[in-house]
């Protein structure tokens, strides 16, 4: 087994914590997988509320929750192995279809690249166009709406067979008709928070688990939706979009433009003049995009986030939308300068200030100093070293983004300037 595919994670779930090396032969045996009894997912809602502005420029919190489902350990090994296998076939399919560069998320063929690199490619392309029409949008409740029958047909197209093998079918059936239990129900039954059960081998012994399932098990009875959170769901989402990607890319490249999709976020750039926009050429292209979308089951563009722009020699002009800034993959672009979204910075400082408030409430000097050290590690440059053994913090990401964008010959990065006062803002709020 390759460590690039399998990851040992030791969260508590419904089965005992496992090392992937002990399950290699079973996971790679398609007949064993076909007979495997999958555990229910554990479901919780992730708070994805965003800080945004109203029409008068006042900041407010727009509440949003994302449904997350995470798998038992043995099931995760299966999803990782067969998800990687399907990903390889998807990569070959995309290459043979001439659209290998279109989708950028959840690929195993772009090692070392992330959303920063993909945003850089798009922003550089816009500048090199000199003038262009830009369409930005995302799909509403993407994973929640994927049609099962259509998904199965696209999987067969990607693997080039008329039917799925026994392992692929067992996984497909479990992902589409998935079962799950609520994290809240586990906590209620055990009388403990999950964070206080991290050292448990598993949440329930066998008999207790059977009793718990009888009263708390849920099953997706719909003919659409797959669980967001499993590694193979991410691959399924890309597979689902193969026809959309092909048709949109054919349309846009025929216009000498660029189309990119990062999961449910899409951006389309077509070189054209201001007179082209006035004559309705951009509207014609947008209309075709919507027609292509209508031919794919359950694809819904979020109209609140669909924006149209015109770029001309270093400036962005809003055609339809909320601002003259392009928001893409966590960055804003004004035609020349790249910044991290103000909403992301605002959220970063709000989280830091909440933590600081709790630390400041400590009356014990030792507890206060320990909390202060944790704040410095999580929210300042002291914990942002790219040589750190852990994943760093938000500043790690900001410095990396600034470094990548600063390598461009045509882009200007303001990211370092955005975070240069972070030490003063954090340290000044810590008492003593």
């Amino acid at each position: 087994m390759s460590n690039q595919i399998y990851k040992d994670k030791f969260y508590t779930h419904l089965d005992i914590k496992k090392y992937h090396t002990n399950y290699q032969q079973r996971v790679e045996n398609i007949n064993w997988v076909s007979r495997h009894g999958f555990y229910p997912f554990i479901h919780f809602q992730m708070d994805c509320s965003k800080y945004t502005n109203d029409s008068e420029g006042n900041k407010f919190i727009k509440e949003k929750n994302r449904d997350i489902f995470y798998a038992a350990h043995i099931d995760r090994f299966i999803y990782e192995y067969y998800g990687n296998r399907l990903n390889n076939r998807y990569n070959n399919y995309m290459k043979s279809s001439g659209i290998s560069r279109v989708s950028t998320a959840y690929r195993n063929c772009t090692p070392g690249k992330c959303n920063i690199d993909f945003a850089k490619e798009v922003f550089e392309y816009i500048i090199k166009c000199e003038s262009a029409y830009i369409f930005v949008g995302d799909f509403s409740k993407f994973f929640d709406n994927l049609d099962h029958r259509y998904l199965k047909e696209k999987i067969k197209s990607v693997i080039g067979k008329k039917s799925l093998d026994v392992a692929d079918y067992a996984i497909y059936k479990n992902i589409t008709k998935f079962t799950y239990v609520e994290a809240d129900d586990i906590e209620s039954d055990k009388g403990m928070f999950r964070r206080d059960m991290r050292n448990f081998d598993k949440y329930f012994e066998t008999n207790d688990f059977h009793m718990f399932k009888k009263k708390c098990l849920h099953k997706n009875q719909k003919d659409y939706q797959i669980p967001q959170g499993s590694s193979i769901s991410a691959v399924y989402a890309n597979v689902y979009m193969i026809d959309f990607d092909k048709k949109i890319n054919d349309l846009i490249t025929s216009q000498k433009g660029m189309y990119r999709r990062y999961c449910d976020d899409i951006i389309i750039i077509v070189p054209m003049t201001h007179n082209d926009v006035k004559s309705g050429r951009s509207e014609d292209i947008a209309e075709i995009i919507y027609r292509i979308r209508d031919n794919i089951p359950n694809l819904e563009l979020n109209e609140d986030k669909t924006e149209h722009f015109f770029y001309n020699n270093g400036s962005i002009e809003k055609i339809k939308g909320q601002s003259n800034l392009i928001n893409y993959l966590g960055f804003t672009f004004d035609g020349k300068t790249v910044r991290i979204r103000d909403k992301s910075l605002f959220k970063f400082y709000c989280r830091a200030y909440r933590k600081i408030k709790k630390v400041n409430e400590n009356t014990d000097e030792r507890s206060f100093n320990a909390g202060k050290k944790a704040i410095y590690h999580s929210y300042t440059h002291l914990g942002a070293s790219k040589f750190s053994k852990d994943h760093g913090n938000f500043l790690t990401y900001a410095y990396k983004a600034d470094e990548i964008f600063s390598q461009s010959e045509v882009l200007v990065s303001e990211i370092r300037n955005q975070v240069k006062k972070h030490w003063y803002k954090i340290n000044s709020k810590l008492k003593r």
Side-chain angles (χ1 to χ4, degrees), residues 10 14 20 50 77 83 105 120 130 133 155 157 254 258 262 278 293 295 342 347 352 361 369 386 417 422:
F10 300 107
L14 301 173
H20 68 268
K50 297 182 179 180
F77 296 152
K120 176 174 176 281
E130 294 186 0
Y133 162 67
I155 296 172
S157 296
S254 72
M258 171 190 277
Y262 190 94
K278 282 186 174 181
R293 176 214 58 182
N295 287 324
D342 288 341
K347 193 169 187 177
E361 290 172 354
N369 289 333
K386 59 184 177 182
N417 286 334
H422 78 274

Side-chain angles (χ1 to χ4, degrees), residues 156-202:
K156 289 191 288 186
S157 296
V158 164
I159 65 177
K161 295 181 180 179
K162 293 183 179 179
S163 61
L164 309 183
D165 69 27
V166 289
D168 283 336
Y169 179 70
I171 295 166
Y172 161 80
K173 187 168 63 173
N174 186 68
I175 289 292
T176 53
K177 295 300 180 184
F178 61 95
T179 59
Y180 64 96
V181 296
E182 296 287 353
D184 288 347
D185 287 338
I186 293 175
E187 293 181 340
S188 177
D189 189 89
K190 304 295 289 186
M192 302 173 68
F193 291 114
R194 282 181 296 152
R195 63 173 178 264
D196 297 323
M197 294 185 277
R198 289 172 181 166
N199 293 328
F200 287 17
D201 286 335
K202 57 182 179 178

Side-chain angles (χ1 to χ4, degrees), residues 160-346:
K161 295 181 180 179
K162 293 183 179 179
S163 61
L164 309 183
D165 69 27
V166 289
D168 283 336
Y169 179 70
I171 295 166
Y172 161 80
K173 187 168 63 173
N174 186 68
I175 289 292
T176 53
K177 295 300 180 184
F178 61 95
T179 59
Y180 64 96
V181 296
E182 296 287 353
D184 288 347
D185 287 338
I186 293 175
E187 293 181 340
S188 177
D189 189 89
K190 304 295 289 186
M192 302 173 68
F193 291 114
R194 282 181 296 152
R195 63 173 178 264
D196 297 323
M197 294 185 277
R198 289 172 181 166
N199 293 328
F200 287 17
D201 286 335
K202 57 182 179 178
Y203 285 123
F204 299 98
E205 296 302 323
T206 302
N207 290 335
D208 293 336
F209 177 48
H210 289 316
M211 294 294 294
F212 177 76
K213 278 203 306 181
K214 285 182 181 180
K215 58 183 179 180
C216 294
L217 186 69
H218 304 273
K219 183 175 183 178
N220 180 39
Q221 302 287 1
K222 305 184 294 291
D223 58 3
Y224 59 91
Q225 188 183 9
I226 63 174
Q228 185 172 2
S230 78
S231 55
I232 201 164
S233 293
V235 185
Y236 278 0
N238 273 342
V239 169
Y240 192 89
M241 297 295 287
I242 57 174
D243 287 355
F244 180 88
D245 288 343
K246 174 64 174 170
K247 291 175 181 177
I248 294 292
N249 192 68
D250 286 350
L251 166 69
I252 300 307
T253 54
S254 72
Q255 306 289 319
K256 299 181 180 179
M258 171 190 277
Y259 161 56
R260 292 290 183 267
R261 180 179 59 80
Y262 190 94
C263 188
D264 56 352
D265 290 310
I266 64 173
I267 189 164
I268 293 164
I269 305 112
V270 180
M272 68 174 67
T273 66
H274 200 269
N275 287 336
D276 290 332
V277 174
K278 282 186 174 181
S279 66
R281 185 180 167 205
S282 61
E283 292 179 359
D284 292 341
I285 290 173
E287 185 179 340
I288 298 173
I289 292 170
Y290 279 100
R291 285 209 302 265
I292 294 171
R293 176 214 58 182
D294 290 341
N295 287 324
I296 312 297
N298 295 1
L299 276 191
E300 296 179 13
L301 275 168
N302 187 337
E303 290 302 327
D304 290 338
K305 294 183 179 180
T306 300
E307 298 181 298
H308 308 254
F309 303 92
F310 178 68
Y311 168 79
N312 185 48
N313 289 325
S315 64
I316 300 289
E317 175 187 336
K318 175 182 66 178
I319 299 175
K320 179 185 176 183
Q322 297 181 351
S323 76
N324 290 322
L325 293 174
I326 292 176
N327 281 286
Y328 186 62
L329 303 186
F331 301 97
T332 62
F333 178 60
D334 65 2
K336 185 177 181 180
T337 302
V338 181
R339 297 166 59 92
I340 290 177
R341 292 189 314 168
D342 288 341
K343 295 175 185 177
S344 299
L345 282 173
F346 187 63

